[in-house]
Amino acid sequence: MTTLTDPPRESFRLSMLIYDTRYRSLTIQVVALIGFMALAAWLVSNTANNLADLGKEPSFAFLNEPASYDINQRLIEYTSRDSHWRAAGVGLLNTLLVAVLGCITATILGVVIGVLRLSNNWLVAKIMTVYVEMFRNVPVLLWIVFTMAILIETLPAPRAFRGDNPEASMLLGDSVAVTNRGVYIPEILFSRSLGNVDFFGFFNVSLDLIAIGAVLIAGILISKLITRRANVIQAATGDRPVTWYKRLGVICIPTLLVLWILGYHLGYPELKGFNFSGGTHLRNSLIALWLALSVYTAAFIAEIVRAGIMSVSKGQSEAASALGLSSRRTMNLVILPQALRVIIPPMISNYLNLTKNSSLAIAVGYMDITGTLGGITMNQTGRELESILLLMLIYLTISLSISAVMNWYNNSVKLVER
Amino acid sequence: MSNIEFVRTEMLPEKEPPASTVGPIGWMRENLFNGIWNSIITVLFVLAIVWTVLSLLGWGIQPTWNAKSLSECREIIAATGYTGHSGACWGVINDRWLQLLYGFYPLDANLLSAVSGASAAEILADPRAHVATPIVMILGYWRLNLAIILLFVGLAPVLIERAPRKLLIVTVLFPFIDVWLMWGGSIWGPAMAFVGFVLGYFAFKILAPIAGTLIAVIMSAVVPIIWWLFLSGSAASIFAGSPIDLTLEPVSSRQFGGFFLSISIGVVAILGSLPLGIVLALGRQSDLFIVKALCVGFIEFIRGVPLITLLFVANNLLNIFMPPGTNFDVILRVMIMVTLFAAAYMAEVVRGGLAALPKGQYEAADALGLDYWKAQRLIIMPQALKISIPGIVSTFIGVFKDTTLVSIISLMDPIGLSNAIRANQEWNGIVWELYAFIALLFFVVCFSMSRYSMFLERKLQTGHK
């Protein structure tokens, strides 16, 4: 007769913390935690000691003091009597402005170049290769200062527009002036404006823009509904109703109507004395940064797009043409949805890179958040610790928000595997 | 009637393919002029290229190499009767290329005066008046040149398969010798730092059989730290008095600059970020919750902020974080921050490689009874790193390009120097020549790196694609 016996009970020995895999991971984690906390405590105590020696009590109160410096390119009202907070806000908006503009143009340019690199015209493909290699292998900071130099050195000065027989003339029917002080474009004005709405006393948003935006979004939603209904009809009958004019109509007609009601007109820039007045003035710093970031990031996006398109196997497009799909529908329904899955994740990190690279604005004097909070505010107040911490926190928030939004989008187009 | 039936009994000889489908003409029809649109586009692009090249040549081919100032350039160009918008002024490159390469690093005037016969003071005033320029470059900056040569010799056994294995000695030693060559001072400082690593190695070798791997690893870290903190300084000062003391003239970090500064920051960041990035990637993939959380936090934080803010930290804050009274070198601070920055990106690249490995590889390693480190070293890492070569190299290229950002915290890298040169009275107004020269420097290095990575990828390709 056999009896089952319990295995001998091991008593816990101290050496098991190191040699027993059951406990070792715990040991390592505790050691890591203690090490990290010791390091953090050491750094914090050093910082506290040093700041006490310097007589700087860490506090964010300096942000309420008047900034007393000017910011020339701004989206919201700002004067030098406003607080550092507001200056930082202007800078943040400037960062977001150039990041959004840059992402849009970089995407368009990058997609075009990426597709052209696959062109069956040898010359075009080679030129695009040269473009990509040229921009990818030279630092972005160099491209930024280079673009700034091009704008300042090669464009005509405002006085070249003067006189009866001027050296330079305005473009697009006297509406756009490209000068070495920046580009003057028409501004959008409303003769029957609804006025502004005040947000927390911090910035004003024009009600007109809100109204137009709302009508546009509503139009786009209705157009989506029309597409969905067309899909349903196609699934049921096999015939796809022609919808493009309906969709165009629901987006355009209400928007145009609202514009007419609000009394939309353009304010053109005019040469007054030695400079242009009226219109919207895009400064060189903004344009240089925007252009340089766009062409630089476009080189990376082009490679991503190329890789994405090449990743869709040839059998897919052959199968689509075997099914009788037109080349446009093959692209829209077969190739792009599969290529996008490969394209989107690296695209997210390129958008993030562009946003982070926009901090190089400081090299051309564009007042973004690094130029205001991390530049003049920091140097004026001597509050390095607080300024840099806040600056990092803001960038971290922007980065994490962009990646959250884009990851959400990525998940929505991702292949659902069973 | 005669029989007119005819059956050919032998094959006709093959005819040449039509001239329009082979050779250059066939190629052009195939690749440049297939279809009306393609032909139009080809013609337009050819015209654009010809126009660009011609105007660039017209601008660039100017006899201005020996000009001493921008106004002299303009006189020379006006004398040639050139009618274009403006001509290139290459005199600025001729005048300043040594500075753009080496910054304000002090010339070895004694060596140059021994070569030329002019006195050291004359050499310092205008070296190129007394010595031929290539010799100024080679001998005047021999310390930096030697450091670069050692770097390449040290990297050779890593990068080139056929390089002699004995060069690995240089690979181990060159970081210490290069530090000595660049910053000068007594050789015993770097030597004692090296002794610390040797001590750590022996601590591991001796303790591993006696006390087990974990304790040996810990002690191999503790022993060198004790050595560096408490003993190496006094040992170095004892040896410094000894007869075999090699001392170079010390150079302060503020004198570093030019492309050499970019290279040294880039090399440190590249060499440091790879091991650090691998450790971080392993930490992020680890089962240990706290280790994983720390690694994720570090990686996401660094990747979420621009490098320029980290450089602000290096410039303004790092001294505040250290014990009162510490004041370490600004270049060292920048190197630390750029390395940490690159390591976070490297960690994500390596993590991609780890995630791309089939799960079977991990399970096979477990089935063979390998422990964690052996499995990583023998099975996982060789494959994961091979997969991630393109990402690793593009991170290297990115870091190298990002070294230009140090010009914003007023270090004299090529872009910082170009601003200084443009502020100079003689060259005030110069733009394109300087930027073209700097762009060329960076392009050559980055392009070679990317081509090497493609070569490596092909060489290591073992899959069946």
Side-chain angles (χ1 to χ4, degrees):
Chain A
M1 190 182 146
T2 55
T3 52
L4 286 170
T5 50
D6 288 337
R9 285 181 69 82
E10 284 182 55
S11 58
F12 179 78
R13 293 184 312 276
L14 209 57
S15 62
M16 285 166 74
L17 280 179
I18 294 177
Y19 294 113
D20 193 320
T21 43
R22 282 173 296 176
Y23 304 110
R24 180 157 54 182
S25 64
L26 202 67
T27 321
I28 295 174
Q29 299 201 55
V30 169
V31 170
L33 190 65
I34 292 173
F36 173 71
M37 295 203 339
L39 182 70
W42 185 67
L43 290 178
V44 169
S45 84
N46 281 339
T47 312
N49 284 341
N50 281 321
L51 287 182
D53 286 354
L54 293 170
K56 289 185 194 169
E57 200 68 21
S59 120
F60 285 93
F62 71 97
L63 288 169
N64 294 323
E65 292 162 17
S68 55
Y69 58 89
D70 259 330
I71 301 178
N72 49 29
Q73 182 84 49
R74 53 180 182 257
L75 289 177
I76 57 174
E77 280 307 307
Y78 169 85
T79 63
S80 57
R81 285 187 303 281
D82 284 321
S83 66
H84 284 294
W85 268 121
R86 200 171 169 85
V90 175
L92 177 60
L93 286 176
N94 278 346
T95 294
L96 294 177
L97 173 73
V98 78
V100 170
L101 288 177
C103 284
I104 294 170
T105 40
T107 309
I108 297 171
L109 204 57
V111 169
V112 170
I113 291 164
V115 172
L116 284 185
R117 254 199 100 172
L118 294 171
S119 156
N120 54 10
N121 188 320
W122 180 85
L123 191 66
V124 174
K126 278 288 168 258
I127 288 178
M128 294 309 151
T129 312
V130 169
Y131 174 93
V132 168
E133 293 296 348
M134 193 171 87
F135 280 94
R136 281 205 311 178
N137 286 316
V138 172
V140 62
L141 183 59
L142 196 58
W143 286 121
I144 293 174
V145 290
F146 191 75
T147 319
M148 188 69 177
I150 291 180
L151 294 183
I152 294 178
E153 301 284 331
T154 63
L155 294 179
R159 67 181 144 74
F161 291 81
R162 287 171 67 218
D164 294 329
N165 193 11
E167 298 164 44
S169 57
M170 291 169 74
L171 306 173
L172 300 176
D174 275 1
S175 62
V176 177
V178 181
T179 76
N180 66 358
R181 288 193 199 169
V183 175
Y184 296 83
I185 56 170
E187 62 183 330
I188 295 167
L189 295 173
F190 299 101
S191 54
R192 291 181 287 273
S193 175
L194 298 172
N196 292 327
V197 61
D198 199 32
F199 275 95
F200 320 115
F202 194 69
F203 56 92
N204 292 322
V205 174
S206 151
L207 270 180
D208 311 317
L209 288 183
I210 294 180
I212 295 167
V215 171
L216 253 183
I217 290 171
I220 291 170
L221 287 181
I222 295 174
S223 126
K224 290 225 159 188
L225 275 183
I226 294 175
T227 315
R228 194 177 294 171
R229 197 165 143 266
N231 285 343
V232 171
I233 293 175
Q234 188 185 19
T237 65
D239 288 327
R240 191 175 178 82
V242 181
T243 57
W244 65 267
Y245 60 89
K246 285 187 211 162
R247 288 192 288 149
L248 201 65
V250 292
I251 295 176
C252 292
I253 294 172
T255 313
L256 290 176
L257 211 62
V258 171
L259 286 179
W260 178 73
I261 292 170
L262 292 173
Y264 161 86
H265 62 278
L266 290 174
Y268 292 104
E270 273 175 73
L271 193 60
K272 293 236 176 79
F274 289 98
N275 215 336
F276 282 90
S277 67
T280 305
H281 183 190
L282 303 176
R283 276 169 201 276
N284 272 338
S285 49
L286 169 65
I287 295 177
L289 190 66
W290 173 24
L291 277 184
L293 287 177
S294 305
V295 293
Y296 178 79
T297 313
F300 291 84
I301 291 181
E303 284 298 274
I304 294 168
V305 169
R306 186 173 74 106
I309 293 176
M310 280 169 68
S311 75
V312 180
S313 75
K314 212 168 157 50
Q316 294 288 327
S317 52
E318 287 168 357
S321 44
L323 286 174
L325 294 183
S326 69
S327 66
R328 190 176 65 88
R329 290 177 77 79
T330 306
M331 197 50 155
N332 283 343
L333 299 175
V334 179
I335 310 269
L336 270 189
Q338 299 186 64
L340 272 184
R341 258 175 234 138
V342 181
I343 290 174
I344 288 175
M347 202 80 125
I348 301 173
S349 63
N350 267 300
Y351 289 157
L352 287 174
N353 281 344
L354 191 149
T355 311
K356 284 181 281 173
N357 280 339
S358 73
S359 61
L360 298 180
I362 203 168
V364 287
Y366 177 67
M367 295 301 269
D368 73 331
I369 182 80
T370 313
T372 54
L373 183 62
I376 302 182
T377 295
M378 181 172 89
N379 293 331
Q380 246 181 32
T381 59
R383 294 282 179 175
E384 292 97 357
L385 183 68
E386 296 89 338
S387 300
I388 293 178
L389 268 184
L390 199 59
L391 186 62
M392 286 182 152
L393 208 65
I394 289 171
Y395 272 113
L396 210 53
T397 316
I398 298 176
S399 298
L400 293 180
S401 330
I402 294 180
S403 67
V405 169
M406 295 304 283
N407 281 330
W408 167 79
Y409 177 64
N410 186 30
N411 282 335
S412 68
V413 298
K414 204 163 70 177
L415 188 66
V416 184
E417 287 183 63
R418 275 185 280 272
Chain B
M1 238 175 103
S2 63
N3 188 358
I4 58 160
E5 278 178 23
F6 170 73
V7 177
R8 186 178 281 282
T9 52
E10 77 281 1
M11 289 282 281
L12 277 172
E14 280 178 16
K15 273 193 178 166
E16 290 288 313
S20 61
T21 59
V22 290
I25 296 174
W27 182 87
M28 274 164 73
R29 281 174 74 108
E30 177 86 7
N31 292 300
L32 295 178
F33 299 103
N34 52 340
I36 182 113
W37 276 113
N38 257 341
S39 309
I40 295 173
I41 290 172
T42 304
V43 170
L44 286 181
F45 268 80
V46 166
L47 288 179
I49 292 172
V50 168
W51 181 81
T52 317
V53 168
L54 283 184
S55 37
L56 272 182
L57 285 181
W59 170 80
I61 300 182
Q62 301 287 352
T64 48
W65 182 248
N66 289 317
K68 289 277 168 261
S69 69
L70 184 58
S71 48
E72 195 184 331
C73 271
R74 291 197 173 129
E75 282 164 23
I76 294 175
I77 294 168
T80 60
Y82 175 69
T83 50
H85 183 62
S86 70
C89 179
W90 297 114
V92 65
I93 306 296
N94 184 18
D95 191 31
R96 299 300 181 107
W97 66 275
L98 275 175
Q99 194 183 51
L100 283 169
L101 287 182
Y102 297 106
F104 298 107
Y105 200 87
L107 275 172
D108 195 333
N110 293 330
L111 189 62
L112 286 181
S113 78
V115 173
S116 66
S119 76
E122 283 171 338
I123 295 277
L124 279 182
D126 186 5
R128 291 161 73 187
H130 303 282
V131 192
T133 311
I135 295 180
V136 173
M137 179 189 165
I138 295 167
L139 290 183
Y141 297 103
W142 67 272
R143 284 161 66 174
L144 300 185
N145 294 330
L146 192 58
I148 295 264
I149 292 170
L150 278 179
L151 166 75
F152 277 111
V153 174
L155 289 182
V158 184
L159 298 182
I160 307 169
E161 212 173 16
R162 279 175 304 178
R165 293 291 103 182
K166 288 215 173 108
L167 287 181
L168 280 171
I169 300 173
V170 183
T171 312
V172 175
L173 288 179
F174 88 83
F176 306 96
I177 303 179
D178 275 6
V179 165
W180 175 62
L181 283 173
M182 284 159 59
W183 273 278
S186 163
I187 196 170
W188 291 110
M192 289 302 129
F194 177 67
V195 169
F197 284 99
V198 176
L199 284 179
Y201 174 75
F202 279 113
F204 181 81
K205 271 284 167 190
I206 295 168
L207 284 175
I210 309 171
T213 322
L214 194 67
I215 289 185
V217 168
I218 294 173
M219 286 313 285
S220 70
V222 170
V223 168
I225 290 175
I226 293 175
W227 165 259
W228 287 324
L229 285 183
F230 303 109
L231 297 172
S232 70
S234 42
S237 57
I238 290 169
F239 277 110
S242 72
I244 39 161
D245 187 18
L246 294 168
T247 308
L248 290 172
E249 198 178 324
V251 176
S252 89
S253 288
R254 277 289 164 193
Q255 289 170 298
F256 280 53
F259 197 52
F260 191 82
L261 177 67
S262 306
I263 291 183
S264 38
I265 296 175
V267 166
V268 169
I270 285 172
L271 296 183
S273 67
L274 190 57
L276 203 55
I278 292 175
V279 170
L280 282 170
L282 289 178
R284 192 167 184 169
Q285 294 289 73
S286 135
D287 299 327
L288 312 175
F289 174 74
I290 294 175
V291 174
K292 184 176 176 173
L294 289 178
C295 289
V296 171
F298 176 81
I299 293 171
E300 292 303 327
F301 171 70
I302 297 278
R303 275 164 31 101
V305 298
L307 177 57
I308 189 72
T309 57
L310 293 176
L311 291 179
F312 282 161
V313 170
N315 201 21
N316 297 316
L317 290 186
L318 220 49
N319 275 342
I320 296 183
F321 292 154
M322 292 292 126
T326 336
N327 188 12
F328 67 104
D329 200 85
V330 64
I331 301 228
L332 198 60
R333 281 181 274 161
V334 166
M335 282 173 173
I336 292 173
M337 283 327 244
V338 178
T339 308
L340 292 181
F341 177 77
Y345 285 81
M346 194 60 71
E348 285 300 279
V349 172
V350 175
R351 184 172 76 110
L354 288 174
L357 274 197
K359 212 166 174 332
Q361 296 292 330
Y362 292 87
E363 291 166 354
D366 284 347
L368 287 173
L370 299 177
D371 67 16
Y372 178 79
W373 292 108
K374 277 206 177 107
Q376 292 296 343
R377 190 160 57 86
L378 299 172
I379 303 210
I380 309 299
M381 270 304 150
Q383 301 185 64
L385 288 183
K386 192 179 81 182
I387 300 175
S388 22
I389 285 174
I392 291 176
V393 176
S394 61
T395 313
F396 285 169
I397 295 176
V399 171
F400 184 62
K401 285 187 295 178
D402 281 346
T403 56
T404 50
L405 266 63
V406 297
S407 63
I408 292 179
I409 55 167
S410 59
L411 292 186
M412 283 297 165
D413 86 314
I415 292 185
L417 276 174
S418 79
N419 294 336
I421 295 173
R422 291 172 63 193
N424 195 295
Q425 198 190 344
E426 285 107 53
W427 303 115
N428 193 355
I430 282 276
V431 188
W432 317 113
E433 298 82 357
L434 281 174
Y435 288 157
F437 183 70
I438 299 168
L440 188 70
L441 290 178
F442 276 95
F443 182 83
V444 168
V445 173
C446 296
F447 191 68
S448 332
M449 275 203 266
S450 78
R451 290 296 125 156
Y452 178 76
S453 106
M454 287 163 124
F455 157 76
L456 199 61
E457 231 181 304
R458 270 200 307 278
K459 202 181 76 179
L460 298 179
Q461 178 72 262
T462 51
H464 313 282
K465 248 181 135 180

